[in-house]
């Protein structure tokens, strides 16, 4: 991978370069208070783009997998039905995507474009997407109490899956190209060759950063093993389930959740459109079948489901990517404090009992 | 060189309803074909045990099994009226249009059972997915050893595919046994659960070199499995199809996911050995 150096004052020129190339650039901004969000860059808001800020709760996942997405239109006339797919193929760049969310997109790639069927809608969003990753290096602004990318091995500096990565070195930034498209940007005079000292500085900053994470659920990999082997007591799942209010918030903020539901809605007298909408396995209707039978009735079955799907080794192996990228959003939004780090912790605390259980059954 | 365009797996194709046949209360069979003959030809290559997604204009989409055998040349669904989509299908008249995509799922590996005895056990509308395998096996009669069909319903009026049952009862080399929970309408056949047929005098269920197909409501399923295991069947020689709430049919929406399997792509056909390992209620 090629790296270059640029002046701090020139960083947003990367946004300009991309816009000149015809990209719709989305970047992070401050709203009111803690609120932050990704929005389309215009001439008016360009200077308000933030390099360091708390990662928005609403993940940039929506640029490849929109919250609500039109799939097709049905039109009825003279007894005929016309079905027309609705495609959107934007040329878009995400500037300032965090390493965790980048790993999220990689997981979505594996999921929607791998296996038996490819998802053409996802592919269309993904095809012309340019990803500018910003390394979370500002301990106060970038790294929240809930962040645990150090445990999922997805951050704070992504190793892969970006077109361009930017890292703040102080008065200068280091730019690393991850793809030929990213490298092509280096033709611009804002970029210059770096020196060994720059690389040393990068390492020094990263070494220090890794120590600054508050949530270090070092038990993550052990949890994967326990979940995979089905070693977690029903009681522990119940305890977790009892704290779930079934709001679905955890899934809506998750950059790696993939589930959706499909529904048809009228758009004219003889016209309908079929849309897909994010869905959540926390909600009780998720598995209910026509006629009322619901195999997953109890709320702890559904909680269990979320963590099983994210942590069981079988799925990690299948997608070659884990469905949790350590962003900590679910921990930040959950009313019952059963975000991923807490669940890992609850499982850790319960293992004493698991061991007792095992000893008793042997 | 440009990459081949990705097929839109969510896009259904227009189908025309040909005729409707009433089976039992609230259950009808819908004969249909695709408007486009090339679509029809491609679809007809389905395997027994696969399913399709049916779209009703302005209502939505639902999954349904394919009761015909690919050897029959006709395409039809047998559907119970339970929700808004199935009700909308029940309201259609011959000539009306709807839309279909598929076939999906693994289906039964009928070739793997060559040279084996086949035992079909169907409770109520559980005969819908099994009808496909039965007709397929009869069409390829010399590929299989003995064939037994056990079908049970609550009352004689609820026996499925009656003309087929009569035909199978008459077919040499096929044993077809029927039973009902309650004898009404002058029924003089067996009364009792499906499993009671296994012990009837004159019935000899082969256990060695046999595959048992079991489909039906959850309670019936549990009891039949218990009977078969007691008779000496191994878990891997018992096969079934699972039903789940499905939105996409192609392994993406997550609704059908149970334990480690996505029923729509990894199933819906599973051996009992696999079902047990899924690690969730079915
Ligand atoms: S499970 Fe929670 S921490 Fe993991 S990626 Fe999803 S929202 Fe982030
Ligand atoms: S989890 Fe890591 S990469 Fe994500 S916002 Fe927090 S520090 Fe940045
Ligand atoms: S029905 Fe959508 S994943 Fe199986």
């Amino acid at each position: 991978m090629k790296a270059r150096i640029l002046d701090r004052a020139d960083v947003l020129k990367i946004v300009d370069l991309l816009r000149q190339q015809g990209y719709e650039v989305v970047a992070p901004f401050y709203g009111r208070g803690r609120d932050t969000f990704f929005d389309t860059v215009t001439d008016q808001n360009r200077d308000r783009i933030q390099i360091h800020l708390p990662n928005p709760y609403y993940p940039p996942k929506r640029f490849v997998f929109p919250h609500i997405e039109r799939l097709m239109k049905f039109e009825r006339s003279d007894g005929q039905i016309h079905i027309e797919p609705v495609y959107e193929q934007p040329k878009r760049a995400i500037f300032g995507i965090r390493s965790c969310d980048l790993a999220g997109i990689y997981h979505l790639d594996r999921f929607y474009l791998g296996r038996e069927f490819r998802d053409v809608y996802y592919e269309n969003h993904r095809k012309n997407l340019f990803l500018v990753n910003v390394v979370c290096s500002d301990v106060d602004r970038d790294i929240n109490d809930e962040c645990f990318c150090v445990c999922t091995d997805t951050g704070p500096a992504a190793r892969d899956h970006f077109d361009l990565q930017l890292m703040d070195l102080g008065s200068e930034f280091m730019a690393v190209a991850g793809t030929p498209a990213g490298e092509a940007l280096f033709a611009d005079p804002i970029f210059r060759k770096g020196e060994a000292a720059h690389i040393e500085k990068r390492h020094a900053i990263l070494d220090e950063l890794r120590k600054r994470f508050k949530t270090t659920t070092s038990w993550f990999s052990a949890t994967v093993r326990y979940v995979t082997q089905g070693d977690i007591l029903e009681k522990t799942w119940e305890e977790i389930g009892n704290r779930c209010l079934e709001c679905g918030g955890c899934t809506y903020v998750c950059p790696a959740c993939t589930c959706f539901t499909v529904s048809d809605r009228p758009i004219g007298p003889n016209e309908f459109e079929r849309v897909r909408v994010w869905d959540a396995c926390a909600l009780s209707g998720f598995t209910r079948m026509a006629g009322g039978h619901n195999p997953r009735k109890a709320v702890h079955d559904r909680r269990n489901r979320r963590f099983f799907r994210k942590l069981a080794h079988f799925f990690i192996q299948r997608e070659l990517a884990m469905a949790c990228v350590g962003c900590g959003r679910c921990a930040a939004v959950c009313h019952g404090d059963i975000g991923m780090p807490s669940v890992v912790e609850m499982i850790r605390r319960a293992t004493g009992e698991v061991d007792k259980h095992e000893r008793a059954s042997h | 060189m440009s990459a081949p365009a990705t097929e839109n797996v969510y896009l259904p194709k227009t189908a025309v309803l040909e005729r409707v046949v009433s089976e039992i209360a609230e259950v009808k069979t819908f004969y249909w074909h695709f408007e486009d003959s090339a679509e029809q030809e491609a679809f007809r290559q389905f395997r027994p045990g696969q399913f399709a997604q049916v779209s009703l204009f302005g209502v939505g989409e639902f999954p349904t099994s394919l009761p015909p055998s690919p050897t029959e040349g006709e395409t039809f669904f047998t559907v119970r009226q339970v929700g808004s989509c199935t009700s909308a299908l029940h309201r259609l008249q011959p000539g009306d249009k709807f839309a279909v995509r598929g076939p999906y799922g693994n289906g039964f590996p009928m070739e793997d059972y060559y040279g084996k005895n086949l035992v079909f056990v169907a409770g109520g509308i559980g005969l819908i997915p099994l009808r496909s395998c039965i007709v397929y096996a009869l069409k390829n009669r010399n590929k299989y050893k003995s064939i037994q069909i056990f079908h049970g319903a609550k009352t004689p009026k609820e026996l499925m595919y009656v003309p087929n049952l009569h035909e199978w009862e008459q077919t040499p080399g096929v044993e077809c046994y029927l039973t009902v929970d309650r004898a009404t309408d002058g029924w003089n056949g067996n009364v009792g659960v499906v499993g009671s047929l296994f012990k009837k005098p004159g019935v000899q269920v082969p256990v060695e070199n046999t595959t048992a197909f079991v489909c039906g409501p959850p309670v019936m399923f549990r009891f039949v499995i218990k009977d078969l295991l007691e008779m000496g069947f191994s878990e891997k020689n018992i096969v079934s199809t699972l039903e789940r709430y499905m939105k996409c049919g192609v392994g993406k929406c997550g609704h059908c996911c149970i334990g480690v399997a996505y029923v729509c792509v990894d199933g819906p056909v599973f051996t009992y050995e696999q079902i047990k390992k899924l690690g969730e209620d079915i």
Side-chain angles (χ1 to χ4, degrees):
Chain A
M1 275 189 255
K2 270 206 181 123
R4 290 286 185 274
I5 297 299
L6 69 160
D7 284 335
R8 180 168 207 98
D10 287 340
V11 169
L12 291 186
K13 287 193 182 146
I14 295 171
V15 173
D16 302 336
L17 284 174
L18 290 169
R19 290 181 71 204
Q20 280 155 24
Q21 289 180 16
Y23 283 98
E24 175 203 344
V25 180
V26 293
F29 294 93
Y30 267 113
R32 283 194 218 109
R34 146 55 170 103
D35 194 30
T36 59
F37 57 91
F38 280 94
D39 203 359
T40 301
V41 177
T42 62
D43 294 342
Q44 285 72 41
N45 66 13
R46 184 257 190 210
D47 295 335
R48 294 199 303 275
I49 295 173
Q50 301 296 316
I51 302 292
H52 299 294
L53 82 175
N55 201 8
Y57 285 141
Y58 195 17
K61 171 176 92 175
R62 71 179 192 277
F63 298 116
V64 282
F65 175 36
H67 204 146
I68 300 180
E69 175 164 37
R70 281 206 291 169
L71 302 180
M72 61 197 74
K73 279 198 302 203
F74 293 78
E75 206 190 313
R76 183 161 56 189
S77 59
D78 317 320
Q80 298 295 319
I81 294 179
H82 305 278
I83 309 168
E84 208 179 295
V86 182
Y87 295 127
E88 225 187 285
Q89 224 188 87
K91 186 177 176 187
R92 192 182 274 139
I94 307 180
F95 179 88
I97 186 168
R98 309 283 136 168
S99 300
C100 52
D101 289 342
L102 198 62
I105 288 186
Y106 177 64
H107 174 260
L108 300 182
D109 287 351
R110 303 285 314 179
F111 182 82
Y112 289 117
L113 304 179
R115 301 261 296 166
E116 293 88 342
F117 299 99
R118 284 172 81 81
D119 187 305
V120 69
Y121 297 94
Y122 181 86
E123 188 182 63
N124 282 341
H125 289 293
R126 188 67 177 93
K127 210 178 271 169
N128 302 319
L129 188 70
F130 190 96
L131 293 163
V132 184
N133 168 227
V134 166
V135 175
C136 294
S137 57
D138 185 315
V139 179
D140 299 321
R141 281 178 295 173
D142 293 331
I143 304 178
N144 309 323
D145 289 357
E146 295 86 8
C147 290
F148 64 105
C149 57
V150 272
C151 306
T152 52
D153 196 25
T154 49
R159 280 185 222 103
D160 211 340
H161 316 312
F162 50 79
D163 292 288
L164 194 73
Q165 180 182 64
L166 299 174
M167 179 161 166
D168 192 341
L169 301 179
S171 58
E172 296 171 314
F173 271 70
M174 178 184 282
V176 180
T179 59
E183 201 180 315
L185 287 180
F186 291 165
D188 197 87
I190 58 171
F191 296 100
R192 58 178 177 273
K193 284 218 163 89
E195 285 145 32
H198 288 116
I199 300 193
E200 268 164 44
K201 188 153 188 195
R202 176 186 167 104
H203 287 317
I205 293 173
L206 286 176
D207 282 347
E208 182 54 30
L209 266 177
R210 289 201 183 89
K211 296 179 204 143
R212 304 295 292 271
F213 282 81
K214 297 206 177 67
T215 306
T216 49
T217 51
S218 53
W219 243 71
F220 213 74
S221 50
T223 307
V224 169
R225 184 167 58 79
Y226 274 79
V227 170
T228 305
Q229 295 174 350
D231 278 347
I232 294 162
L233 298 179
E234 199 53 28
K235 210 179 100 197
T236 310
W237 286 129
E238 270 172 40
E239 210 182 302
I240 295 167
N242 287 343
R243 284 160 61 171
C244 175
L245 300 176
E246 298 193 64
C247 68
C250 54
T251 28
Y252 290 120
V253 296
C254 184
C257 272
T258 50
C259 292
F260 60 83
T261 188
V262 179
S263 73
D264 288 8
R265 59 189 189 189
I267 46 169
N270 262 310
E271 239 182 309
F272 278 83
E273 64 180 11
R274 178 164 291 170
V275 295
R276 67 168 165 201
V277 185
W278 291 357
D279 204 351
C281 55
L283 307 177
S284 65
F286 192 73
T287 49
R288 194 192 302 124
M289 295 194 267
H293 176 64
N294 192 345
R296 213 178 280 148
K297 269 191 234 72
V299 55
H300 64 264
D301 283 351
R302 294 192 286 277
R303 287 295 71 206
N304 176 336
R305 175 77 223 149
R306 172 169 162 85
F307 295 103
F308 184 80
R309 174 65 185 82
K310 290 200 175 295
L311 298 176
H313 187 247
F314 173 84
F315 289 110
I316 302 175
Q317 205 173 29
R318 199 174 79 159
E319 265 97 50
L320 296 179
M322 190 157 53
C324 173
V325 296
C327 75
R329 286 184 178 94
C330 56
V333 302
C334 182
H335 305 283
D337 189 21
I338 43 163
M340 185 60 86
S342 306
V343 166
V344 171
E345 179 57 21
M346 286 168 86
I347 289 172
R348 187 187 70 78
R349 271 191 267 125
T351 49
E353 298 213 31
V354 174
D355 291 345
K356 247 188 273 161
H357 189 75
E358 270 181 359
R359 275 198 300 274
S361 63
H362 282 183
Chain B
M1 203 183 74
S2 68
T6 300
E7 193 200 335
N8 187 340
V9 287
Y10 302 105
L11 198 65
K13 302 286 160 35
T14 310
V16 188
L17 184 63
E18 289 167 9
R19 62 182 204 280
V20 183
V21 175
S22 257
E23 297 290 345
I24 60 171
E26 296 183 340
V27 179
K28 287 180 180 161
T29 294
F30 301 84
Y31 290 81
W32 59 274
H33 61 262
F34 279 110
E35 232 170 25
D36 181 301
S37 56
E39 285 296 334
Q40 181 72 7
E41 220 20 67
F43 186 92
R44 280 206 330 100
Q45 313 302 321
F46 65 87
R47 290 187 299 279
Q50 286 194 295
F51 68 96
Q53 293 278 357
V54 183
S55 281
L56 278 309
F57 182 76
V59 188
E61 208 178 28
F62 73 96
T64 192
S65 37
L66 293 167
S69 159
T71 54
E72 286 179 287
E74 278 194 300
T75 38
F76 55 91
F77 305 130
T78 303
V79 176
R80 187 157 67 112
Q81 189 178 343
V82 273
S84 52
C85 288
T86 52
S87 299
L89 179 64
H90 274 246
R91 281 196 298 272
L92 294 189
Q93 301 295 321
D96 283 351
K97 308 271 165 73
F98 58 109
V100 178
R101 61 191 176 94
Y104 296 127
N106 56 0
F108 290 97
M110 295 305 288
E111 300 77 19
D112 293 2
Y113 312 137
Y114 283 172
K116 290 192 170 203
N117 306 303
L118 307 182
V119 172
F120 297 97
V121 191
I125 56 172
L127 190 56
I128 297 172
L130 290 191
R131 184 192 178 281
S132 178
C133 312
I134 296 172
V135 175
Y136 180 92
L138 294 182
K139 184 76 191 172
N140 297 282
R141 187 63 192 89
N142 57 351
K143 302 259 174 43
Y144 302 99
K145 289 177 75 184
S146 74
I147 296 182
Q148 290 179 330
I149 301 162
F150 298 91
H151 177 46
K154 285 198 197 107
T155 64
K157 276 207 178 102
E158 283 157 277
L159 289 166
M160 287 294 299
Y161 299 124
V162 174
N164 287 132
L165 295 176
H166 287 322
E167 184 193 320
W168 299 338
E169 282 180 314
Q170 310 294 315
T171 310
V174 179
E175 296 167 45
C176 180
Y177 304 100
L178 307 178
T179 185
V180 295
D181 294 345
R182 266 180 300 122
T184 56
D185 308 282
W187 174 259
N188 50 19
N190 192 76
V191 178
V193 296
V194 196
S196 67
L197 292 170
F198 302 153
K199 290 156 208 130
K200 256 184 58 167
V203 178
Q204 191 63 49
V205 181
V207 174
E208 282 311 309
N209 193 31
T210 304
T211 299
F213 300 68
V214 186
C215 279
V219 183
M220 168 267 176
F221 184 79
R222 271 199 299 279
F223 279 107
V224 170
I225 295 288
K226 201 171 148 261
D227 290 338
L228 294 175
L229 294 176
E230 276 169 11
M231 286 157 70
F233 272 91
S234 75
E235 290 172 350
K236 62 174 192 305
N237 289 332
I238 303 173
V239 287
S240 186
T241 77
L242 294 187
E243 242 190 80
R244 290 300 263 195
Y245 182 50
M246 292 187 185
K247 277 294 179 186
C248 72
V250 292
K252 305 296 182 205
C253 77
H255 282 264
C256 70
C257 197
I258 145 169
V260 296
Y262 280 74
V263 172
C264 64
V265 286
D266 301 323
V269 173
F270 295 96
T271 65
Y272 183 62
E273 189 183 33
Q274 291 169 323
I275 291 176
K276 264 183 55 183
K277 283 199 196 127
L278 292 175
E280 257 193 280
D281 282 355
I282 55 162

